[in-house]
Amino acid sequence: MIKKIIIIPFLLLLMFCMSCNNDAEQQSSIYLIQGKNATDVEISTIRDLKTDLKKVLEEEIQIVKEGTIIPENTVVFVLGTLDSNTILTELITKNSLELSNINPGPRGGIWSKKTYANNTEVIVLAGSDVQGLQYAVYDYSKEVLGVDPLEYWTGKLPSKKTLVDVFNFTPKTIAPPKVPILAYFENDVDELANYRGKLLEYDWESYTEMINSLVRLRYNAIQFFDMLGRPEFYVRPEYKKLNPNYQIDIEYLDKMIDYAKSKGMKIQVDFELGYQIHPMDENKADCWSKYKEDWLTAWKYYLEETPLRKTDIFVLRPRNQVWDWEYKSSCGESKIEVFNEVYKEFGLLVDKYNEDAIKVAICYSDGMEMFNEGFNPPKDWTVVWSDHGFGTFDHELKDTKGYEFGTYMHAGYWLNHTVHNPYPEKVESVMKDMFQQYGADKYCLVNGQNFRPFLLNLEAYSQVCYSPKDFNADNFYTTWTQRYFSTEASKHAVSSMKLLHEAQEGRKGYVEHLWEIREAVSYLSNAPIVRPGKSPIPYDYNRVIGDIENTKKVKEVLKKSLSEAQLGYDKMNGDANFYQSYILLPAQLYSDLIAFETELHKMSLLKKQYETTKDKKYLNEAIALLPTAKSKLKIVFDRRSSGDIDTKWKNWYAIANRRQNNGFPTYDMLAAIEANLTKMTL
C-alpha cells in the first residue's frame, strides 16, 4: 500500500521553504505547490487540477507558492517547469529527477513520485515547458482521476477517489507530440453559436468549455474565422433575414482571444479581407496589381487597430481575399504570379509587427494545383495541403520543394454538419501516409465545424498527431466508446457509427440530401431552384433520377445503423443521455430526412410516368402520397425540435438555428407540389 505523505516542518524548511515566513497557511490535506515564477498559463492549469481533484476527493485542497510552510500529514503536488519552480531544480539535484528543457523536450512532461529520508512521497507533475506541464496535468486528470477531457459535452462525471488513488500511477515520461502545432478551426459554427445567447455569437460558457476541452486534447492553437464576422453573416440574404442587425462585438472578440491565450493556445487568423471587423470592397479583391496598396493598408489596419494584432500564426490562402473562391483576376494577371508576390509582401509586413510570427500558406482547393504548378511562397512559410472535406485528398502532392509541410483536415464538413461522419480509419491511413510519404508533420489544422457532433474525429486527429505509431483506428474506436458506454453497448455503437460513415460514402451527407430534396421539389412543382445572388436552376427530372438510386442505398445502410444504435441503447446501464445524443439521435435524424426524400422520389417517378404516358392516374397516385410525405416531414421537424434527452442541449437542432446551407424543406413546398400536380390533372 502506498503511504500517505507525512512531512515534518524541518524537512519542509529544507525542501520547500525558499522564502519562508512564520504565517503558515491553513492546514489542508492536499497542497498544490506552484513555482514563484509561474506563468498565467501555469496558474490556470494548476487551478484546473484543483478543480479536478475536488470532483473526486472530499479533502480540502489548496494552491500555494513555493516557500510556504506545509503542515504535517498532507499530500503534496509539485507543479511547474524548471523556469518557474525552483523546487524542481532541488529535486533534480538531490533525487535524480529526469527533466530538462530538452528532456523530454518542447511540449513534453513527466509524472513522478519522489521519496525522501522520512519515507515522504510527493507527486511531481512537470514539463520541459509550459505546454509540457499542461499535458502532464491533464493526462493525470484523465488517466488517474478519471476526469473526461470532454466532460462538458458528454456529461461523463468521474467517480469518487481516495488519497491512495492519487498515488496509483506508474511514473512516466510524456513524449512531445509528433506534430508541434495542432490548430482548431472555428468554421461553420452556426448551431454552436445560435443554440443559446445571441445569434451568430458564442455564448461565453460554451466557447470557454470548447477551449478547455481542446487544450486537454492537445490542441495548442485556434483559428478564429466565423467570430471575425465572416462575409455571409452580413451580406447573404439568408443571414440578413436571420439577424438583420448583425454586428460583430469587437470587445467580446478581444475577450475570447484573451481567454484562449490564457489557456496556452496560440491565436491563428487567416488574413483574408472580407471580415466585418474591417471589410475591404470586394471589387478590389480581384486585381492585386491595381489595388495592392489597398490590400496592404487593410492588413495594416488589422494589425494596428483590431484584436488581430494578437495573432501568433498568420495564415493566407492563395485565393480571393474577400470570398473563399478561386482568384480570377479582372486585370489579366496570372494568379500564381500574383500570389508569389502577395506572400512575399504580406510576409514582410507581418515581420515588422511580429518578429516571432509563424506563417502558414494553406493550399486549399485550387491552391494545391497552384503549388504543383509554380506557386512558391518564401521559404519561411509552412505549406499546408488540404483535404477535400472528408478526410482524403483530391490533389496529389508532386514535390514538397523543400518546404516545411503540414495538413488541413476536416473533422466535420458543411455537408454533414447535422450528422457526423465518423472515420477514424481514414484518420489513421491518410495521416500516416502524409507523415511518412511527405513529411507533412510540422503542422495540422483541424476543421471542427460546430464542434459538438464531431468529438470522435477531433480526438482521433489529436491522437494521430500526438503519436502516429501508436494510433490504431479499431483500438481507438473501442477505447473511446468504452469510456462512455457499457462493453456491450460499445460494440453496437462502433458498428452503428461505421455504418453511418458508409451511408455518407462519396462526399454525401445530411446537407447534400437537403439539396437533393430541393431538386425533387423543383421538379414536382415545375418551378426553378431559386438561389440568392445566383441564377435560378431550371427544374429537371434528370437532376432527380441521379439521386434516387443513391438514396435507396443510403436508406438501407441507415436502417442497419439505426438498428445497431437502438440495440446498444437498450444495453446501456445507467445514464444513457450521451449515447442517445451521439449514437442514436444522428442515425434517427438522418433516417428521418431520407424517409421524407424517398417519398418525394416516389412522387417524382410517378410524375415522370405521366409525362411519358400522359395517363393522369399516375398524377393522382402521386397526389395520394402527399399526406404520407407531410407526415414524414412532420417527423423531421418533431425530432429536430425535441432532439436530445439532455435539456442542456435544447434547441441545438432547431431549424431556426441550423447553418443556412441548402435551405430546408417546408410545408409550403408540399403545398406548391400539390397545386402543380392538381393543375396538371385538369
Side-chain angles (χ1 to χ4, degrees):
M1 178 174 174
I2 299 173
K3 295 183 179 180
K4 299 178 184 178
I5 294 179
I6 304 175
I7 302 179
I8 62 173
F10 177 72
L11 277 175
L12 284 167
L13 203 63
L14 289 177
M15 295 181 180
F16 298 111
C17 291
M18 306 302 172
S19 57
C20 294
N21 56 58
N22 293 324
D23 298 320
E25 298 285 340
Q26 179 182 353
Q27 182 166 329
S28 172
S29 293
I30 301 177
Y31 278 76
L32 310 181
I33 303 179
Q34 71 182 36
K36 61 183 179 181
N37 296 318
T39 66
D40 290 343
V41 175
E42 288 183 63
I43 292 169
S44 172
T45 305
I46 293 168
R47 287 173 180 164
D48 286 345
L49 177 59
K50 178 180 178 180
T51 299
D52 293 347
L53 287 165
K54 288 177 71 173
K55 291 175 183 177
V56 300
L57 297 172
E58 300 297 330
E59 286 77 9
E60 185 181 355
I61 302 159
Q62 284 198 51
I63 299 173
V64 298
K65 293 181 180 179
E66 58 175 301
T68 300
I69 297 177
I70 308 297
E72 296 180 359
N73 301 315
T74 58
V75 173
V76 176
F77 285 76
V78 178
L79 306 154
T81 69
L82 295 179
D83 293 330
S84 67
N85 196 327
T86 60
I87 298 172
L88 293 172
T89 307
E90 294 278 331
L91 292 172
I92 290 170
T93 301
K94 299 178 180 179
N95 295 280
S96 302
L97 186 70
E98 294 185 5
L99 178 68
S100 70
N101 293 332
I102 59 173
N103 181 23
R107 297 185 76 191
I110 60 168
W111 293 355
S112 185
K113 290 178 282 193
K114 287 301 171 183
T115 305
Y116 298 100
N118 65 337
N119 292 323
T120 295
E121 279 193 300
V122 297
I123 295 172
V124 177
L125 305 179
S128 290
D129 58 12
V130 175
Q131 287 187 348
L133 167 67
Q134 287 185 295
Y135 305 143
V137 167
Y138 294 137
D139 284 9
Y140 177 87
S141 287
K142 176 185 175 184
E143 297 174 29
V144 180
L145 304 182
V147 175
D148 183 16
L150 299 167
E151 178 182 303
Y152 179 81
W153 311 94
T154 65
K156 175 180 170 55
L157 300 176
S159 58
K160 291 297 181 180
K161 307 290 182 186
T162 67
L163 289 178
V164 173
D165 293 326
V166 302
F167 288 93
N168 189 20
F169 66 88
T170 301
K172 70 174 183 177
T173 297
I174 300 166
K178 176 74 170 178
V179 179
I181 298 175
L182 179 60
Y184 178 80
F185 188 8
E186 66 98 13
N187 177 47
D188 296 349
V189 302
D190 300 45
E191 287 85 346
L192 183 57
N194 290 342
Y195 88 103
R196 62 185 185 193
K198 292 176 63 178
L199 291 174
L200 304 178
E201 181 180 282
Y202 290 128
D203 74 287
W204 186 247
E205 179 181 296
S206 57
Y207 166 72
T208 54
E209 291 291 353
M210 179 181 74
I211 294 294
N212 295 345
S213 292
L214 287 169
V215 171
R216 289 175 184 254
L217 293 180
R218 285 187 169 81
Y219 286 81
N220 63 337
I222 180 169
Q223 177 173 325
F224 282 86
F225 186 71
D226 284 26
M227 292 302 111
L228 302 180
R230 62 186 297 168
E232 290 92 329
F233 289 177
Y234 66 94
V235 172
R236 288 191 174 165
E238 306 97 314
Y239 284 103
K240 293 178 79 170
K241 182 179 179 181
L242 180 69
N243 186 356
N245 299 312
Y246 174 78
Q247 182 62 53
I248 183 175
D249 185 337
I250 293 179
E251 289 186 5
Y252 190 56
L253 168 64
D254 204 24
K255 182 181 177 183
M256 288 193 289
I257 287 174
D258 286 345
Y259 185 82
K261 281 184 170 285
S262 77
K263 303 302 289 188
M265 298 192 92
K266 294 183 183 298
I267 302 303
Q268 175 169 306
V269 174
D270 184 335
F271 272 70
E272 67 169 43
L273 298 170
Y275 303 121
Q276 195 190 39
I277 195 171
H278 185 66
M280 187 177 76
D281 186 342
E282 65 179 276
N283 293 325
K284 297 180 178 180
D286 57 9
C287 182
W288 162 256
S289 59
K290 183 176 180 179
Y291 295 110
K292 171 181 176 178
E293 290 306 317
D294 294 270
W295 292 32
L296 292 171
T297 298
W299 283 325
K300 287 176 184 177
Y301 186 90
Y302 279 166
L303 293 165
E304 293 174 357
E305 305 296 335
T306 77
L308 303 193
R309 64 185 176 274
K310 299 179 180 180
T311 301
D312 303 294
I313 304 174
F314 294 78
V315 169
L316 271 188
R317 300 187 190 192
R319 292 166 65 74
N320 184 290
Q321 292 300 294
V322 169
W323 292 100
D324 185 20
W325 56 48
E326 182 182 355
Y327 182 84
K328 295 182 178 180
S329 177
S330 62
C331 50
E333 303 161 308
S334 158
K335 63 180 180 180
I336 290 177
E337 291 177 5
V338 164
F339 283 100
N340 281 340
E341 185 177 342
V342 166
Y343 277 75
K344 179 180 177 181
E345 293 287 341
F346 181 66
L348 292 173
L349 180 67
V350 167
D351 291 342
K352 291 179 181 178
Y353 287 88
N354 185 340
E355 61 182 15
D356 297 321
I358 299 169
K359 290 172 282 192
V360 177
I362 295 182
C363 293
Y364 182 72
S365 189
D366 63 304
M368 289 177 279
E369 296 174 357
M370 291 169 63
F371 184 80
N372 281 336
E373 295 170 3
F375 165 53
N376 297 308
K379 288 293 186 178
D380 60 346
W381 287 80
T382 298
V383 174
V384 170
W385 218 241
S386 174
D387 73 355
H388 61 25
F390 290 86
T392 59
F393 298 91
D394 279 342
H395 301 275
E396 182 181 356
L397 175 57
K398 293 180 180 179
D399 183 359
T400 62
K401 297 188 275 192
Y403 285 92
E404 298 275 273
F405 238 84
T407 54
Y408 166 34
M409 313 303 294
H410 284 75
Y413 192 57
W414 70 268
L415 292 181
N416 65 321
H417 65 82
T418 296
V419 174
H420 68 143
N421 188 339
Y423 44 68
E425 297 94 342
K426 279 190 180 182
V427 173
E428 178 181 7
S429 61
V430 172
M431 295 303 286
K432 287 184 178 182
D433 182 65
M434 288 300 290
F435 295 158
Q436 293 167 5
Q437 187 170 348
Y438 301 108
D441 56 12
K442 308 306 183 290
Y443 169 97
C444 182
L445 174 65
V446 182
N447 189 327
Q449 296 279 302
N450 50 22
F451 189 77
R452 179 173 171 251
F454 307 112
L455 303 177
L456 180 88
N457 286 348
L458 282 167
E459 189 162 345
Y461 278 115
S462 166
Q463 290 197 17
V464 78
C465 286
Y466 174 65
S467 181
K469 65 181 178 61
D470 295 320
F471 184 80
N472 174 275
D474 288 334
N475 292 343
F476 172 77
Y477 251 138
T478 299
T479 302
W480 199 90
T481 52
Q482 288 186 358
R483 192 162 92 203
Y484 302 111
F485 315 132
S486 66
T487 301
E488 282 302 309
S490 163
K491 296 175 184 176
H492 293 293
V494 172
S495 178
S496 177
M497 284 194 284
K498 288 183 175 181
L499 288 162
L500 189 62
H501 169 63
E502 183 181 339
Q504 299 177 80
E505 184 180 358
R507 297 183 68 178
K508 292 287 185 178
Y510 191 97
V511 178
E512 179 69 10
H513 286 280
L514 293 177
W515 179 255
E516 293 179 358
I517 287 169
R518 291 183 71 181
E519 292 177 326
V521 169
S522 171
Y523 170 66
L524 289 167
S525 57
N526 285 13
I529 301 174
V530 177
R531 303 175 298 166
K534 298 181 180 180
S535 301
I537 299 176
Y539 68 89
D540 186 351
Y541 177 73
N542 290 327
R543 292 185 177 277
V544 180
I545 191 63
D547 302 332
I548 291 175
E549 283 304 312
N550 178 69
T551 301
K552 284 182 182 177
K553 295 176 185 176
V554 170
K555 184 177 180 180
E556 290 304 309
V557 176
L558 282 176
K559 183 179 179 180
K560 298 175 185 177
S561 176
L562 184 56
S563 175
E564 286 293 319
Q566 187 65 58
L567 286 170
Y569 186 68
D570 294 339
K571 294 181 183 296
M572 281 293 292
N573 300 319
D575 186 358
N577 282 8
F578 182 56
Y579 188 101
Q580 185 267 344
S581 70
Y582 206 80
I583 306 299
L584 182 59
L585 185 57
Q588 290 173 327
L589 290 169
Y590 205 176
S591 297
D592 292 345
L593 192 72
I594 293 299
F596 172 68
E597 184 180 359
T598 299
E599 291 303 310
L600 297 183
H601 286 166
K602 290 178 183 177
M603 296 165 66
S604 297
L605 290 169
L606 289 166
K607 179 173 181 277
K608 181 61 177 176
Q609 283 185 282
Y610 161 74
E611 291 171 344
T612 302
T613 66
K614 303 304 178 184
D615 189 336
K616 292 183 179 180
K617 75 174 184 179
Y618 294 116
L619 290 176
N620 289 323
E621 289 178 20
I623 292 170
L625 292 176
L626 276 165
T628 303
K630 187 173 182 179
S631 68
K632 295 288 178 68
L633 183 56
K634 184 177 186 301
I635 291 171
V636 171
F637 286 150
D638 288 348
R639 186 100 61 192
R640 290 196 63 131
S641 178
S642 59
D644 296 86
I645 295 173
D646 191 339
T647 56
K648 179 190 214 175
W649 304 110
K650 182 181 179 181
N651 296 325
W652 179 274
Y653 291 106
I655 303 300
N657 290 339
R658 65 173 293 276
R659 177 149 179 78
Q660 303 297 304
N661 282 25
N662 287 350
F664 208 83
T666 65
Y667 293 122
D668 288 343
M669 291 178 180
L670 295 181
I673 291 171
E674 184 173 20
N676 181 57
L677 296 179
T678 301
K679 180 181 177 181
M680 292 174 69
T681 63
L682 300 178

